[in-house]
Short mmCIF file of all heavy atoms in Angstrom, two decimals:
data_model
loop_
_atom_site.label_atom_id
_atom_site.label_comp_id
_atom_site.label_asym_id
_atom_site.label_seq_id
_atom_site.Cartn_x
_atom_site.Cartn_y
_atom_site.Cartn_z
N VAL A 1 0.85 -1.16 0.00
CA VAL A 1 0.00 0.00 0.00
C VAL A 1 0.89 1.23 0.00
O VAL A 1 1.92 1.24 0.68
CB VAL A 1 -0.92 0.02 1.25
CG1 VAL A 1 -1.75 1.27 1.29
CG2 VAL A 1 -1.78 -1.21 1.31
N ALA A 2 0.52 2.28 -0.74
CA ALA A 2 1.28 3.52 -0.75
C ALA A 2 0.33 4.69 -0.52
O ALA A 2 -0.80 4.70 -1.00
CB ALA A 2 2.01 3.68 -2.08
N THR A 3 0.82 5.68 0.22
CA THR A 3 0.06 6.90 0.48
C THR A 3 0.98 8.09 0.22
O THR A 3 2.19 7.99 0.37
CB THR A 3 -0.47 6.97 1.92
OG1 THR A 3 0.63 6.84 2.84
CG2 THR A 3 -1.47 5.86 2.18
N GLY A 4 0.39 9.21 -0.18
CA GLY A 4 1.16 10.42 -0.44
C GLY A 4 0.62 11.58 0.36
O GLY A 4 -0.55 11.61 0.72
N GLN A 5 1.48 12.53 0.64
CA GLN A 5 1.13 13.69 1.44
C GLN A 5 0.90 14.92 0.57
O GLN A 5 1.31 14.96 -0.59
CB GLN A 5 2.26 14.03 2.40
CG GLN A 5 2.43 13.10 3.55
CD GLN A 5 3.38 13.71 4.56
OE1 GLN A 5 4.35 14.37 4.21
NE2 GLN A 5 3.10 13.48 5.82
N ILE A 6 0.30 15.94 1.20
CA ILE A 6 0.16 17.26 0.61
C ILE A 6 0.88 18.21 1.56
O ILE A 6 0.76 18.10 2.77
CB ILE A 6 -1.32 17.66 0.46
CG1 ILE A 6 -2.00 16.74 -0.55
CG2 ILE A 6 -1.46 19.12 0.05
CD1 ILE A 6 -3.49 16.97 -0.69
N GLY A 7 1.67 19.15 1.00
CA GLY A 7 2.38 20.12 1.81
C GLY A 7 3.67 20.56 1.15
O GLY A 7 3.94 20.22 0.00
N LYS A 8 4.48 21.33 1.88
CA LYS A 8 5.72 21.89 1.33
C LYS A 8 6.72 20.83 0.90
O LYS A 8 7.35 20.95 -0.13
CB LYS A 8 6.38 22.80 2.36
CG LYS A 8 5.73 24.12 2.51
CD LYS A 8 6.55 24.97 3.46
CE LYS A 8 5.94 26.34 3.66
NZ LYS A 8 6.74 27.15 4.56
N GLU A 9 6.92 19.82 1.72
CA GLU A 9 7.88 18.76 1.43
C GLU A 9 7.19 17.40 1.53
O GLU A 9 7.46 16.62 2.43
CB GLU A 9 9.06 18.84 2.38
CG GLU A 9 9.85 20.13 2.24
CD GLU A 9 10.99 20.24 3.21
OE1 GLU A 9 11.37 19.22 3.83
OE2 GLU A 9 11.51 21.35 3.36
N PRO A 10 6.29 17.12 0.59
CA PRO A 10 5.51 15.88 0.68
C PRO A 10 6.37 14.65 0.44
O PRO A 10 7.37 14.70 -0.27
CB PRO A 10 4.47 16.04 -0.42
CG PRO A 10 5.15 16.89 -1.44
CD PRO A 10 6.00 17.85 -0.64
N PHE A 11 5.97 13.56 1.06
CA PHE A 11 6.66 12.30 0.81
C PHE A 11 5.64 11.21 0.56
O PHE A 11 4.45 11.37 0.83
CB PHE A 11 7.60 11.92 1.96
CG PHE A 11 6.92 11.69 3.28
CD1 PHE A 11 6.39 10.46 3.62
CD2 PHE A 11 6.82 12.72 4.21
CE1 PHE A 11 5.78 10.24 4.84
CE2 PHE A 11 6.21 12.51 5.44
CZ PHE A 11 5.69 11.27 5.75
N ILE A 12 6.12 10.11 0.05
CA ILE A 12 5.31 8.92 -0.19
C ILE A 12 5.72 7.88 0.83
O ILE A 12 6.91 7.64 1.04
CB ILE A 12 5.53 8.38 -1.62
CG1 ILE A 12 5.12 9.43 -2.66
CG2 ILE A 12 4.78 7.07 -1.83
CD1 ILE A 12 5.62 9.15 -4.06
N ALA A 13 4.74 7.27 1.46
CA ALA A 13 5.00 6.18 2.40
C ALA A 13 4.49 4.88 1.78
O ALA A 13 3.38 4.83 1.26
CB ALA A 13 4.31 6.42 3.74
N VAL A 14 5.32 3.85 1.80
CA VAL A 14 4.92 2.51 1.36
C VAL A 14 4.78 1.67 2.61
O VAL A 14 5.68 1.62 3.46
CB VAL A 14 5.96 1.89 0.39
CG1 VAL A 14 5.50 0.51 -0.06
CG2 VAL A 14 6.17 2.81 -0.82
N TRP A 15 3.63 1.02 2.75
CA TRP A 15 3.26 0.30 3.96
C TRP A 15 3.08 -1.19 3.68
O TRP A 15 2.63 -1.57 2.60
CB TRP A 15 1.91 0.80 4.49
CG TRP A 15 1.78 2.26 4.66
CD1 TRP A 15 1.51 3.19 3.69
CD2 TRP A 15 1.92 2.99 5.86
NE1 TRP A 15 1.47 4.44 4.23
CE2 TRP A 15 1.72 4.34 5.57
CE3 TRP A 15 2.20 2.61 7.18
CZ2 TRP A 15 1.78 5.33 6.54
CZ3 TRP A 15 2.25 3.60 8.14
CH2 TRP A 15 2.05 4.93 7.82
N ASP A 16 3.35 -1.99 4.68
CA ASP A 16 2.98 -3.41 4.64
C ASP A 16 1.51 -3.46 5.03
O ASP A 16 1.13 -3.02 6.12
CB ASP A 16 3.83 -4.20 5.64
CG ASP A 16 3.51 -5.68 5.63
OD1 ASP A 16 2.32 -6.05 5.82
OD2 ASP A 16 4.44 -6.47 5.44
N SER A 17 0.67 -3.99 4.17
CA SER A 17 -0.78 -3.97 4.41
C SER A 17 -1.23 -4.88 5.54
O SER A 17 -2.32 -4.72 6.07
CB SER A 17 -1.53 -4.32 3.13
OG SER A 17 -1.24 -5.64 2.72
N GLN A 18 -0.40 -5.83 5.93
CA GLN A 18 -0.79 -6.73 7.02
C GLN A 18 -0.32 -6.23 8.38
O GLN A 18 -1.05 -6.28 9.35
CB GLN A 18 -0.29 -8.14 6.74
CG GLN A 18 -0.98 -8.76 5.55
CD GLN A 18 -0.57 -10.19 5.31
OE1 GLN A 18 0.12 -10.80 6.12
NE2 GLN A 18 -0.99 -10.74 4.19
N THR A 19 0.92 -5.75 8.44
CA THR A 19 1.48 -5.31 9.73
C THR A 19 1.32 -3.81 9.97
O THR A 19 1.52 -3.34 11.08
CB THR A 19 2.98 -5.64 9.82
OG1 THR A 19 3.69 -4.86 8.85
CG2 THR A 19 3.22 -7.13 9.60
N MET A 20 0.99 -3.06 8.91
CA MET A 20 0.88 -1.61 8.94
C MET A 20 2.21 -0.92 9.26
O MET A 20 2.24 0.23 9.65
CB MET A 20 -0.21 -1.15 9.93
CG MET A 20 -1.61 -1.65 9.55
SD MET A 20 -2.12 -1.16 7.89
CE MET A 20 -2.31 0.59 8.11
N GLU A 21 3.31 -1.63 9.05
CA GLU A 21 4.64 -1.03 9.23
C GLU A 21 5.04 -0.28 7.97
O GLU A 21 4.73 -0.70 6.85
CB GLU A 21 5.68 -2.11 9.51
CG GLU A 21 5.54 -2.75 10.88
CD GLU A 21 6.65 -3.75 11.15
OE1 GLU A 21 7.83 -3.41 10.89
OE2 GLU A 21 6.33 -4.85 11.60
N THR A 22 5.76 0.82 8.16
CA THR A 22 6.29 1.58 7.04
C THR A 22 7.49 0.82 6.46
O THR A 22 8.42 0.50 7.18
CB THR A 22 6.73 2.98 7.47
OG1 THR A 22 5.62 3.65 8.08
CG2 THR A 22 7.22 3.79 6.30
N ILE A 23 7.45 0.55 5.16
CA ILE A 23 8.51 -0.18 4.49
C ILE A 23 9.50 0.80 3.84
O ILE A 23 10.70 0.55 3.82
CB ILE A 23 7.93 -1.11 3.40
CG1 ILE A 23 6.99 -2.13 4.02
CG2 ILE A 23 9.03 -1.81 2.63
CD1 ILE A 23 6.21 -2.92 3.00
N ALA A 24 8.97 1.91 3.29
CA ALA A 24 9.84 2.87 2.61
C ALA A 24 9.22 4.26 2.69
O ALA A 24 8.00 4.42 2.72
CB ALA A 24 10.00 2.47 1.14
N LEU A 25 10.09 5.27 2.72
CA LEU A 25 9.69 6.67 2.60
C LEU A 25 10.42 7.25 1.40
O LEU A 25 11.64 7.18 1.32
CB LEU A 25 10.06 7.46 3.86
CG LEU A 25 9.28 7.13 5.12
CD1 LEU A 25 9.83 7.94 6.29
CD2 LEU A 25 7.80 7.39 4.94
N LEU A 26 9.67 7.78 0.46
CA LEU A 26 10.23 8.35 -0.76
C LEU A 26 10.07 9.86 -0.67
O LEU A 26 8.96 10.38 -0.62
CB LEU A 26 9.49 7.80 -1.98
CG LEU A 26 9.40 6.27 -2.05
CD1 LEU A 26 8.54 5.84 -3.22
CD2 LEU A 26 10.78 5.65 -2.12
N LYS A 27 11.21 10.57 -0.64
CA LYS A 27 11.20 12.01 -0.39
C LYS A 27 12.02 12.75 -1.44
O LYS A 27 12.83 12.16 -2.14
CB LYS A 27 11.84 12.31 0.96
CG LYS A 27 11.19 11.65 2.13
CD LYS A 27 11.97 11.99 3.40
CE LYS A 27 11.39 11.29 4.60
NZ LYS A 27 12.11 11.63 5.82
N GLY A 28 11.80 14.07 -1.48
CA GLY A 28 12.68 14.95 -2.20
C GLY A 28 12.39 15.17 -3.67
O GLY A 28 13.18 15.80 -4.36
N PHE A 29 11.27 14.70 -4.17
CA PHE A 29 10.98 14.94 -5.58
C PHE A 29 9.82 15.89 -5.79
O PHE A 29 9.96 16.94 -6.39
CB PHE A 29 10.74 13.63 -6.34
CG PHE A 29 10.54 13.88 -7.81
CD1 PHE A 29 11.63 14.09 -8.63
CD2 PHE A 29 9.28 13.98 -8.35
CE1 PHE A 29 11.46 14.39 -9.97
CE2 PHE A 29 9.09 14.27 -9.69
CZ PHE A 29 10.18 14.48 -10.50
N HIS A 30 8.65 15.52 -5.30
CA HIS A 30 7.45 16.32 -5.56
C HIS A 30 7.39 17.57 -4.68
O HIS A 30 7.95 17.60 -3.59
CB HIS A 30 6.19 15.48 -5.32
CG HIS A 30 5.97 14.42 -6.35
ND1 HIS A 30 5.67 14.70 -7.66
CD2 HIS A 30 6.01 13.07 -6.26
CE1 HIS A 30 5.53 13.57 -8.33
NE2 HIS A 30 5.73 12.56 -7.51
N SER A 31 6.70 18.58 -5.21
CA SER A 31 6.40 19.77 -4.42
C SER A 31 4.88 19.91 -4.36
O SER A 31 4.17 19.41 -5.22
CB SER A 31 7.03 21.01 -5.05
OG SER A 31 6.54 21.22 -6.35
N ARG A 32 4.40 20.50 -3.33
CA ARG A 32 2.97 20.73 -3.06
C ARG A 32 2.22 19.48 -2.63
O ARG A 32 1.35 19.54 -1.80
CB ARG A 32 2.25 21.36 -4.24
CG ARG A 32 2.72 22.73 -4.58
CD ARG A 32 1.78 23.37 -5.56
NE ARG A 32 2.41 24.54 -6.14
CZ ARG A 32 2.10 25.00 -7.33
NH1 ARG A 32 1.18 24.41 -8.06
NH2 ARG A 32 2.72 26.06 -7.80
N GLY A 33 2.50 18.35 -3.24
CA GLY A 33 1.79 17.14 -2.84
C GLY A 33 1.78 16.08 -3.91
O GLY A 33 2.26 16.27 -5.03
N ILE A 34 1.20 14.95 -3.54
CA ILE A 34 1.05 13.81 -4.44
C ILE A 34 -0.45 13.53 -4.54
O ILE A 34 -1.13 13.39 -3.53
CB ILE A 34 1.78 12.56 -3.89
CG1 ILE A 34 3.30 12.81 -3.85
CG2 ILE A 34 1.51 11.34 -4.75
CD1 ILE A 34 3.82 13.14 -2.52
N CYS A 35 -0.96 13.46 -5.77
CA CYS A 35 -2.40 13.27 -5.91
C CYS A 35 -2.80 11.87 -6.37
O CYS A 35 -3.96 11.49 -6.24
CB CYS A 35 -3.00 14.31 -6.84
SG CYS A 35 -2.44 14.26 -8.53
N SER A 36 -1.83 11.08 -6.87
CA SER A 36 -2.18 9.75 -7.33
C SER A 36 -0.95 8.85 -7.29
O SER A 36 0.17 9.31 -7.54
CB SER A 36 -2.74 9.82 -8.75
OG SER A 36 -3.22 8.57 -9.17
N LEU A 37 -1.17 7.57 -7.00
CA LEU A 37 -0.10 6.58 -6.91
C LEU A 37 -0.56 5.27 -7.51
O LEU A 37 -1.74 4.94 -7.45
CB LEU A 37 0.28 6.32 -5.44
CG LEU A 37 0.87 7.49 -4.67
CD1 LEU A 37 0.79 7.22 -3.17
CD2 LEU A 37 2.30 7.71 -5.08
N GLY A 38 0.37 4.51 -8.07
CA GLY A 38 0.04 3.18 -8.57
C GLY A 38 1.28 2.32 -8.69
O GLY A 38 2.34 2.80 -9.08
N PHE A 39 1.14 1.04 -8.35
CA PHE A 39 2.23 0.08 -8.46
C PHE A 39 2.19 -0.62 -9.82
O PHE A 39 1.11 -0.81 -10.39
CB PHE A 39 2.12 -1.00 -7.38
CG PHE A 39 2.51 -0.54 -6.01
CD1 PHE A 39 1.54 -0.17 -5.10
CD2 PHE A 39 3.83 -0.48 -5.63
CE1 PHE A 39 1.88 0.25 -3.83
CE2 PHE A 39 4.20 -0.06 -4.37
CZ PHE A 39 3.22 0.31 -3.46
N SER A 40 3.35 -1.02 -10.31
CA SER A 40 3.41 -1.86 -11.50
C SER A 40 2.83 -3.23 -11.15
O SER A 40 2.71 -3.58 -9.97
CB SER A 40 4.86 -2.00 -11.99
OG SER A 40 5.67 -2.60 -11.00
N ASN A 41 2.48 -4.01 -12.16
CA ASN A 41 1.88 -5.33 -11.92
C ASN A 41 2.77 -6.24 -11.08
O ASN A 41 2.27 -7.03 -10.29
CB ASN A 41 1.54 -6.02 -13.24
CG ASN A 41 0.34 -5.40 -13.91
OD1 ASN A 41 -0.46 -4.71 -13.28
ND2 ASN A 41 0.21 -5.61 -15.20
N ASP A 42 4.09 -6.13 -11.25
CA ASP A 42 5.00 -6.97 -10.47
C ASP A 42 5.37 -6.37 -9.11
O ASP A 42 6.08 -6.99 -8.33
CB ASP A 42 6.26 -7.29 -11.26
CG ASP A 42 7.09 -6.06 -11.62
OD1 ASP A 42 6.74 -4.94 -11.19
OD2 ASP A 42 8.09 -6.22 -12.36
N GLY A 43 4.90 -5.14 -8.83
CA GLY A 43 5.16 -4.51 -7.55
C GLY A 43 6.54 -3.89 -7.40
O GLY A 43 6.87 -3.34 -6.36
N LYS A 44 7.33 -3.95 -8.45
CA LYS A 44 8.71 -3.44 -8.37
C LYS A 44 8.77 -1.91 -8.47
O LYS A 44 9.62 -1.28 -7.86
CB LYS A 44 9.55 -4.06 -9.48
CG LYS A 44 11.00 -3.67 -9.43
CD LYS A 44 11.83 -4.39 -10.47
CE LYS A 44 13.28 -3.95 -10.40
NZ LYS A 44 14.11 -4.61 -11.38
N TYR A 45 7.87 -1.33 -9.23
CA TYR A 45 7.89 0.11 -9.47
C TYR A 45 6.63 0.78 -8.94
O TYR A 45 5.57 0.15 -8.82
CB TYR A 45 8.01 0.39 -10.97
CG TYR A 45 9.21 -0.24 -11.59
CD1 TYR A 45 9.10 -1.35 -12.42
CD2 TYR A 45 10.49 0.25 -11.33
CE1 TYR A 45 10.22 -1.95 -12.98
CE2 TYR A 45 11.62 -0.33 -11.88
CZ TYR A 45 11.47 -1.43 -12.70
OH TYR A 45 12.58 -2.02 -13.24
N LEU A 46 6.79 2.06 -8.65
CA LEU A 46 5.67 2.89 -8.19
C LEU A 46 5.66 4.15 -9.04
O LEU A 46 6.72 4.76 -9.26
CB LEU A 46 5.85 3.24 -6.71
CG LEU A 46 4.78 4.12 -6.07
CD1 LEU A 46 3.46 3.36 -5.96
CD2 LEU A 46 5.23 4.57 -4.69
N VAL A 47 4.50 4.54 -9.52
CA VAL A 47 4.38 5.79 -10.27
C VAL A 47 3.59 6.77 -9.40
O VAL A 47 2.65 6.39 -8.70
CB VAL A 47 3.72 5.58 -11.65
CG1 VAL A 47 2.28 5.15 -11.52
CG2 VAL A 47 3.83 6.82 -12.50
N SER A 48 4.03 8.04 -9.42
CA SER A 48 3.35 9.06 -8.64
C SER A 48 3.07 10.27 -9.53
O SER A 48 3.81 10.55 -10.48
CB SER A 48 4.21 9.49 -7.44
OG SER A 48 5.48 9.95 -7.84
N LEU A 49 1.98 10.95 -9.23
CA LEU A 49 1.58 12.15 -9.95
C LEU A 49 1.55 13.30 -8.96
O LEU A 49 0.87 13.21 -7.93
CB LEU A 49 0.21 11.95 -10.59
CG LEU A 49 -0.37 13.13 -11.37
CD1 LEU A 49 0.50 13.46 -12.57
CD2 LEU A 49 -1.78 12.83 -11.81
N GLY A 50 2.31 14.35 -9.25
CA GLY A 50 2.43 15.47 -8.33
C GLY A 50 1.40 16.56 -8.54
O GLY A 50 0.76 16.66 -9.58
N LEU A 51 1.28 17.42 -7.53
CA LEU A 51 0.36 18.55 -7.57
C LEU A 51 1.04 19.84 -8.02
O LEU A 51 0.47 20.92 -7.89
CB LEU A 51 -0.27 18.77 -6.19
CG LEU A 51 -1.26 17.70 -5.74
CD1 LEU A 51 -1.68 17.93 -4.31
CD2 LEU A 51 -2.47 17.68 -6.65
N ASP A 52 2.25 19.77 -8.55
CA ASP A 52 2.95 20.95 -9.06
C ASP A 52 2.24 21.45 -10.32
O ASP A 52 1.32 20.80 -10.82
CB ASP A 52 4.42 20.61 -9.35
CG ASP A 52 4.55 19.46 -10.33
OD1 ASP A 52 4.44 18.30 -9.91
OD2 ASP A 52 4.76 19.74 -11.53
N ASP A 53 2.65 22.61 -10.82
CA ASP A 53 2.00 23.21 -11.99
C ASP A 53 2.01 22.31 -13.22
O ASP A 53 1.11 22.35 -14.03
CB ASP A 53 2.67 24.55 -12.35
CG ASP A 53 2.36 25.63 -11.32
OD1 ASP A 53 1.37 25.49 -10.57
OD2 ASP A 53 3.13 26.61 -11.26
N ASP A 54 3.05 21.48 -13.38
CA ASP A 54 3.15 20.58 -14.53
C ASP A 54 2.56 19.20 -14.27
O ASP A 54 2.60 18.34 -15.15
CB ASP A 54 4.61 20.42 -14.95
CG ASP A 54 5.20 21.71 -15.49
OD1 ASP A 54 4.45 22.47 -16.14
OD2 ASP A 54 6.39 21.95 -15.27
N HIS A 55 2.06 18.96 -13.07
CA HIS A 55 1.54 17.65 -12.68
C HIS A 55 2.54 16.56 -13.08
O HIS A 55 2.24 15.64 -13.83
CB HIS A 55 0.17 17.37 -13.28
CG HIS A 55 -0.86 18.35 -12.81
ND1 HIS A 55 -1.36 18.32 -11.53
CD2 HIS A 55 -1.44 19.41 -13.41
CE1 HIS A 55 -2.23 19.31 -11.38
NE2 HIS A 55 -2.29 19.98 -12.51
N THR A 56 3.76 16.71 -12.55
CA THR A 56 4.86 15.84 -12.91
C THR A 56 4.60 14.39 -12.53
O THR A 56 4.12 14.10 -11.43
CB THR A 56 6.17 16.33 -12.25
OG1 THR A 56 6.38 17.69 -12.63
CG2 THR A 56 7.35 15.50 -12.67
N ILE A 57 4.92 13.50 -13.47
CA ILE A 57 4.81 12.06 -13.26
C ILE A 57 6.20 11.54 -12.91
O ILE A 57 7.18 11.92 -13.55
CB ILE A 57 4.29 11.36 -14.53
CG1 ILE A 57 2.90 11.88 -14.89
CG2 ILE A 57 4.28 9.85 -14.35
CD1 ILE A 57 2.44 11.46 -16.27
N CYS A 58 6.28 10.68 -11.92
CA CYS A 58 7.57 10.16 -11.47
C CYS A 58 7.49 8.64 -11.37
O CYS A 58 6.54 8.10 -10.82
CB CYS A 58 7.90 10.77 -10.12
SG CYS A 58 9.50 10.27 -9.47
N LEU A 59 8.49 7.95 -11.91
CA LEU A 59 8.60 6.50 -11.79
C LEU A 59 9.70 6.20 -10.78
O LEU A 59 10.83 6.65 -10.92
CB LEU A 59 8.93 5.88 -13.15
CG LEU A 59 9.10 4.36 -13.15
CD1 LEU A 59 7.78 3.68 -12.80
CD2 LEU A 59 9.60 3.89 -14.50
N TRP A 60 9.35 5.44 -9.75
CA TRP A 60 10.25 5.11 -8.65
C TRP A 60 10.62 3.64 -8.64
O TRP A 60 9.77 2.79 -8.88
CB TRP A 60 9.58 5.38 -7.30
CG TRP A 60 9.14 6.77 -7.03
CD1 TRP A 60 7.95 7.34 -7.42
CD2 TRP A 60 9.83 7.75 -6.26
NE1 TRP A 60 7.89 8.62 -6.95
CE2 TRP A 60 9.03 8.90 -6.23
CE3 TRP A 60 11.06 7.75 -5.60
CZ2 TRP A 60 9.41 10.05 -5.56
CZ3 TRP A 60 11.44 8.91 -4.93
CH2 TRP A 60 10.62 10.04 -4.92
N ASP A 61 11.87 3.35 -8.33
CA ASP A 61 12.25 2.02 -7.85
C ASP A 61 12.11 2.17 -6.34
O ASP A 61 13.01 2.64 -5.66
CB ASP A 61 13.69 1.69 -8.24
CG ASP A 61 14.16 0.35 -7.69
OD1 ASP A 61 13.54 -0.18 -6.74
OD2 ASP A 61 15.18 -0.16 -8.18
N TRP A 62 10.93 1.88 -5.83
CA TRP A 62 10.60 2.26 -4.45
C TRP A 62 11.42 1.50 -3.42
O TRP A 62 11.72 2.03 -2.35
CB TRP A 62 9.11 2.14 -4.18
CG TRP A 62 8.56 0.74 -4.17
CD1 TRP A 62 8.01 0.08 -5.23
CD2 TRP A 62 8.50 -0.13 -3.06
NE1 TRP A 62 7.62 -1.17 -4.84
CE2 TRP A 62 7.91 -1.33 -3.50
CE3 TRP A 62 8.88 -0.04 -1.73
CZ2 TRP A 62 7.69 -2.41 -2.66
CZ3 TRP A 62 8.67 -1.11 -0.89
CH2 TRP A 62 8.08 -2.28 -1.37
N LYS A 63 11.83 0.28 -3.70
CA LYS A 63 12.64 -0.47 -2.73
C LYS A 63 14.03 0.15 -2.59
O LYS A 63 14.60 0.16 -1.50
CB LYS A 63 12.75 -1.94 -3.13
CG LYS A 63 11.44 -2.68 -2.95
CD LYS A 63 11.58 -4.14 -3.31
CE LYS A 63 10.24 -4.85 -3.16
NZ LYS A 63 10.32 -6.27 -3.52
N ALA A 64 14.57 0.70 -3.69
CA ALA A 64 15.87 1.37 -3.65
C ALA A 64 15.73 2.83 -3.23
O ALA A 64 16.72 3.48 -2.92
CB ALA A 64 16.55 1.28 -5.01
N GLY A 65 14.49 3.35 -3.26
CA GLY A 65 14.25 4.74 -2.88
C GLY A 65 14.76 5.75 -3.88
O GLY A 65 15.11 6.86 -3.53
N ARG A 66 14.78 5.36 -5.16
CA ARG A 66 15.31 6.28 -6.17
C ARG A 66 14.34 6.49 -7.33
O ARG A 66 13.55 5.62 -7.67
CB ARG A 66 16.66 5.81 -6.68
CG ARG A 66 16.63 4.54 -7.47
CD ARG A 66 18.04 4.09 -7.90
NE ARG A 66 17.94 2.85 -8.64
CZ ARG A 66 17.83 2.78 -9.95
NH1 ARG A 66 17.83 3.87 -10.67
NH2 ARG A 66 17.75 1.62 -10.55
N VAL A 67 14.46 7.67 -7.91
CA VAL A 67 13.67 8.04 -9.09
C VAL A 67 14.34 7.44 -10.32
O VAL A 67 15.54 7.61 -10.53
CB VAL A 67 13.58 9.57 -9.22
CG1 VAL A 67 12.89 9.96 -10.52
CG2 VAL A 67 12.88 10.17 -8.02
N ILE A 68 13.56 6.74 -11.13
CA ILE A 68 14.06 6.17 -12.38
C ILE A 68 13.86 7.14 -13.53
O ILE A 68 14.74 7.32 -14.35
CB ILE A 68 13.37 4.83 -12.68
CG1 ILE A 68 13.74 3.83 -11.59
CG2 ILE A 68 13.74 4.33 -14.06
CD1 ILE A 68 12.97 2.54 -11.70
N ALA A 69 12.70 7.76 -13.57
CA ALA A 69 12.38 8.70 -14.65
C ALA A 69 11.29 9.65 -14.16
O ALA A 69 10.52 9.33 -13.25
CB ALA A 69 11.89 7.95 -15.88
N HIS A 70 11.26 10.83 -14.78
CA HIS A 70 10.18 11.78 -14.48
C HIS A 70 9.96 12.68 -15.69
O HIS A 70 10.86 12.87 -16.51
CB HIS A 70 10.50 12.61 -13.24
CG HIS A 70 11.75 13.42 -13.34
ND1 HIS A 70 11.78 14.67 -13.89
CD2 HIS A 70 13.02 13.12 -12.98
CE1 HIS A 70 13.01 15.14 -13.84
NE2 HIS A 70 13.79 14.21 -13.30
N ALA A 71 8.75 13.19 -15.80
CA ALA A 71 8.40 14.06 -16.90
C ALA A 71 7.12 14.81 -16.55
O ALA A 71 6.29 14.31 -15.78
CB ALA A 71 8.17 13.26 -18.18
N PRO A 72 6.95 16.02 -17.12
CA PRO A 72 5.67 16.71 -16.93
C PRO A 72 4.57 15.95 -17.66
O PRO A 72 4.84 15.37 -18.72
CB PRO A 72 5.91 18.09 -17.53
CG PRO A 72 7.08 17.92 -18.44
CD PRO A 72 7.88 16.77 -17.93
N SER A 73 3.39 15.93 -17.10
CA SER A 73 2.28 15.27 -17.81
C SER A 73 1.84 16.20 -18.94
O SER A 73 2.10 17.39 -18.94
CB SER A 73 1.12 14.96 -16.87
OG SER A 73 0.57 16.15 -16.35
N SER A 74 1.15 15.66 -19.92
CA SER A 74 0.74 16.47 -21.06
C SER A 74 -0.37 17.42 -20.64
O SER A 74 -1.21 17.10 -19.80
CB SER A 74 0.25 15.57 -22.19
OG SER A 74 -0.84 14.79 -21.76
N LYS A 75 -0.33 18.59 -21.20
CA LYS A 75 -1.36 19.59 -20.93
C LYS A 75 -2.26 19.69 -22.15
O LYS A 75 -1.80 19.69 -23.28
CB LYS A 75 -0.73 20.95 -20.65
CG LYS A 75 0.06 20.97 -19.36
CD LYS A 75 0.58 22.36 -19.12
CE LYS A 75 1.35 22.38 -17.81
NZ LYS A 75 1.84 23.71 -17.50
N GLU A 76 -3.53 19.77 -21.89
CA GLU A 76 -4.48 19.88 -23.00
C GLU A 76 -5.14 21.22 -23.00
O GLU A 76 -5.33 21.85 -22.05
CB GLU A 76 -5.52 18.77 -22.88
CG GLU A 76 -4.89 17.42 -23.06
CD GLU A 76 -5.91 16.30 -23.01
OE1 GLU A 76 -7.07 16.53 -23.38
OE2 GLU A 76 -5.55 15.22 -22.59
#
């Protein structure tokens, strides 16, 4: 399970759904907040969508705590 915060220095918390223990904290990328999260089918990657002006999309190797790729989402 993953949850995201809203605020100046938001972070993503990844939780064990059975024990409710925090497994990982992902920090330092998004500003203002995180509005959406999703895991890859194999659970290895996590994608996050930020609340910044560009609604930046970020792909995480969440177990390593690192950003793999990021890009602004398309504006229509």
Side-chain angles (χ1 to χ4, degrees):
V1 177
T3 57
Q5 288 191 324
I6 295 175
K8 284 185 180 181
E9 297 178 15
F11 63 86
I12 298 165
V14 180
W15 309 81
D16 181 305
S17 63
Q18 293 184 9
T19 66
M20 298 303 291
E21 289 184 47
T22 303
I23 299 170
L25 291 176
L26 308 174
K27 302 178 183 181
F29 184 80
H30 289 294
S31 60
R32 296 191 195 153
I34 295 101
C35 64
S36 186
L37 296 163
F39 285 99
S40 60
N41 287 341
D42 62 5
K44 184 175 179 180
Y45 303 107
L46 179 68
V47 66
S48 57
L49 179 64
L51 290 173
D52 57 279
D53 290 340
D54 293 326
H55 298 288
T56 304
I57 299 168
C58 182
L59 179 65
W60 300 84
D61 177 341
W62 68 267
K63 290 182 182 179
R66 66 183 179 92
V67 174
I68 296 172
H70 60 86
S73 64
S74 60
K75 293 183 179 182
E76 294 182 30

